[in-house]
Amino acid sequence: MVRQECINCKATYGIDDIVYFCKKCGDILEIKFDINELTENIDIYDWKTKPISVWRYRPFMPIHESAKLITLGEGGTGLHHSEHLGTELCINNLYIKNEGENPTGSFKDRGMTVGVTKAIELGARHVICASTGNTSASLAAYAARAGIRCTVLIPSGKIAYGKLSQAMIHGAKVLQVKGNFDEALEFVFKLGEKHKEIYLLNSINPFRIEGQKSLGYEICDQLNYETPDAIVIPVGNAGNISAVWKGLTEFYQLGLIKKLPKMIGIQAQGSAPIAHAIKTGNDKIIPVENPETIATAIRIGAPVSWKKAINAIQESHGTAETVTDEEILDAQKTLARIEGIFVEPASASSIAGLKKLIKKGIVLENEKIVCITTGHGLKDPDTAIKQSEKPIEVDANIEAIETTLDLRKAILAR
Ligand code: F0G
């Protein structure tokens, strides 16, 4: 039977129990399906005829049949064959799975459509999360769609303006906590503990992870079930890498794909506890006390889903890498200029990481690689403007414009 299960002691809970941490050992939970039951479900539904989107995979979701779906049309994002970037990086078969194409501009929508649908099923009228920006933008939109109250806690310091404007316009109550993301998240857990009427939708919520696993399914579907050799993905709180791996392993267990890719997690150098654990061969992370990076979305020192992430990397024989802010910005600009794909800095870390792994000989020229870019560039316009050529002011006459564009010489030479 489909259930919630502790990743450590394997204690189980029903899918309608409101429980965020295991009551026996305190660890985080995941949704477990019985594979035979799942096989039966997917045989009954005609899922392969539906368009590629999160809800194409409805029979794979722990949501009752009677549920009213809270959806804005999430998933079905492009998997772009990136020949120019591939040539630049000396790799023949590179794909970008661009999650910025989701309704609120990030992969978070995959989790929120399922998470908020579940919240409504459970009768919640008030939802909450802590966020570096994208989770709050997404939750605010889905809560608005569902007609329920939404509170978001954001850390002090810079929050990318695109994301903040989304949470605000959708009517969420935005509290900027005088602390970092990890501290804001602790308050969310405490509020959930004290006020049972508030439903928590951070990435420890396993229903959100279920929505996000559709990212793994989609990559397989879009590649005609020929799995790539590796998937490169930015890592912050570590929910997404775990979710993608869960989707892939389910497709594998169902016999839909014949092999599994390596999972490669990329973190920003100033906030890289998982990458450090992997590089030093440790099974445990050492939290980073004051995480810093220009990629504010992944400025996280104590990722809650670190165990799931380390498991995904180890089980898949993958690895992790760190990238500097400079490398991130360089990758962001390159991707925008030669592929026409504008992503926010955290997203560009997957491209920067890939570049490093190719240089180190860890990723090889003839491998099929999928880089996930997680959020749209307009989320953080300030950073994009700062590293681009400024607009040039010209007089309002054609000659001035032609002179500025160096077109006068051509006219005079005629
Ligand atoms: N990329 C972007 C654009 C993100 O917003 C996040 C996380 C990640 C990558 C990392 O994903 O946490 O699942 O490992 N943003 C969260 C937020 C923390 O609050 O919006 P993860």
Side-chain angles (χ1 to χ4, degrees), residues 107-108 131-135 235-240 297-298 300 344 346 374-375:
F107 70 95
K108 304 288 180 180
S131 176
T132 56
N134 281 322
T135 303
V235 174
N237 220 10
N240 209 28
I298 51 172
I300 294 173
E344 67 166 288
T374 41

Side-chain angles (χ1 to χ4, degrees), residues 156-341:
S156 64
K158 189 186 168 244
I159 292 290
Y161 259 13
K163 307 173 191 185
L164 190 57
S165 66
Q166 288 176 292
M168 290 163 72
I169 197 74
H170 287 305
K173 180 70 82 187
V174 181
L175 307 183
Q176 187 156 33
V177 177
K178 292 180 184 168
N180 62 26
F181 170 82
D182 305 298
E183 289 167 304
L185 186 56
E186 276 306 313
F187 285 118
V188 166
F189 294 149
K190 282 185 186 142
L191 285 166
E193 185 70 18
K194 271 182 98 168
H195 304 273
K196 300 290 181 213
E197 73 280 13
I198 310 181
Y199 188 64
L200 268 51
L201 273 164
N202 267 102
S203 63
I204 47 134
N205 183 313
F207 295 95
R208 267 190 55 201
I209 299 296
E210 289 304 291
Q212 287 176 209
K213 76 182 177 183
S214 63
L215 183 43
Y217 294 164
E218 279 188 14
I219 292 171
C220 301
D221 272 345
Q222 289 171 313
L223 288 175
N224 258 330
Y225 307 99
E226 299 278 334
T227 18
D229 294 293
I231 294 181
V232 188
I233 180 169
V235 174
N237 220 10
N240 209 28
I241 189 170
S242 325
V244 173
W245 180 239
K246 186 171 195 285
L248 294 163
T249 48
E250 283 175 2
F251 259 30
Y252 183 73
Q253 285 164 359
L254 290 164
L256 290 166
I257 51 172
K258 298 279 169 287
K259 66 164 199 169
L260 285 162
K262 287 179 270 192
M263 297 301 295
I264 302 182
I266 309 296
Q267 294 202 291
Q269 203 170 65
S271 46
I274 292 174
H276 284 141
I278 294 289
K279 279 168 178 270
T280 51
N282 273 322
D283 284 344
K284 277 198 179 130
I285 60 155
I286 302 168
V288 175
E289 225 160 84
N290 294 307
E292 256 325 319
T293 167
I294 191 148
T296 52
I298 51 172
R299 194 175 58 195
I300 294 173
V304 278
S305 299
W306 65 269
K307 270 191 199 167
K308 286 186 182 176
I310 287 186
N311 179 51
I313 291 169
Q314 287 177 343
E315 244 180 51
S316 71
H317 308 290
T319 187
E321 189 51 86
T322 60
V323 286
T324 63
D325 284 358
E326 209 185 341
E327 289 165 334
I328 290 174
L329 292 177
D330 183 58
Q332 182 192 30
K333 208 166 176 175
T334 304
L335 187 62
R337 302 248 159 135
I338 68 176
E339 291 293 353
I341 299 175

Side-chain angles (χ1 to χ4, degrees), residues 70-203:
I70 309 298
T71 175
L72 289 162
E74 41 294 308
T77 56
L79 181 71
H80 307 283
H81 192 203
S82 302
E83 288 177 45
H84 294 134
L85 186 63
T87 306
E88 174 130 344
L89 300 182
C90 300
I91 192 152
N92 301 328
N93 234 336
L94 174 63
Y95 293 84
I96 308 282
K97 178 70 170 160
N98 188 22
E99 287 294 285
E101 296 167 32
N102 273 298
T104 77
S106 84
F107 70 95
K108 304 288 180 180
D109 298 338
R110 293 180 183 274
M112 284 308 173
T113 183
V114 177
V116 175
T117 294
K118 189 71 205 175
I120 297 298
E121 240 186 24
L122 295 169
R125 304 296 308 155
H126 185 181
V127 287
I128 192 170
C129 71
S131 176
T132 56
N134 281 322
T135 303
S136 60
S138 184
L139 182 59
Y142 284 86
R145 186 105 177 133
I148 56 174
R149 189 173 162 193
C150 176
T151 302
V152 304
L153 269 53
I154 56 173
S156 64
K158 189 186 168 244
I159 292 290
Y161 259 13
K163 307 173 191 185
L164 190 57
S165 66
Q166 288 176 292
M168 290 163 72
I169 197 74
H170 287 305
K173 180 70 82 187
V174 181
L175 307 183
Q176 187 156 33
V177 177
K178 292 180 184 168
N180 62 26
F181 170 82
D182 305 298
E183 289 167 304
L185 186 56
E186 276 306 313
F187 285 118
V188 166
F189 294 149
K190 282 185 186 142
L191 285 166
E193 185 70 18
K194 271 182 98 168
H195 304 273
K196 300 290 181 213
E197 73 280 13
I198 310 181
Y199 188 64
L200 268 51
L201 273 164
N202 267 102
S203 63

Side-chain angles (χ1 to χ4, degrees), residues 262 354-365 367:
K262 287 179 270 192
L354 175 64
K355 194 171 171 182
K356 223 169 186 174
L357 293 164
I358 292 168
K359 261 198 197 138
K360 287 186 174 178
I362 295 171
V363 168
L364 306 174
E365 189 183 338
E367 286 185 316

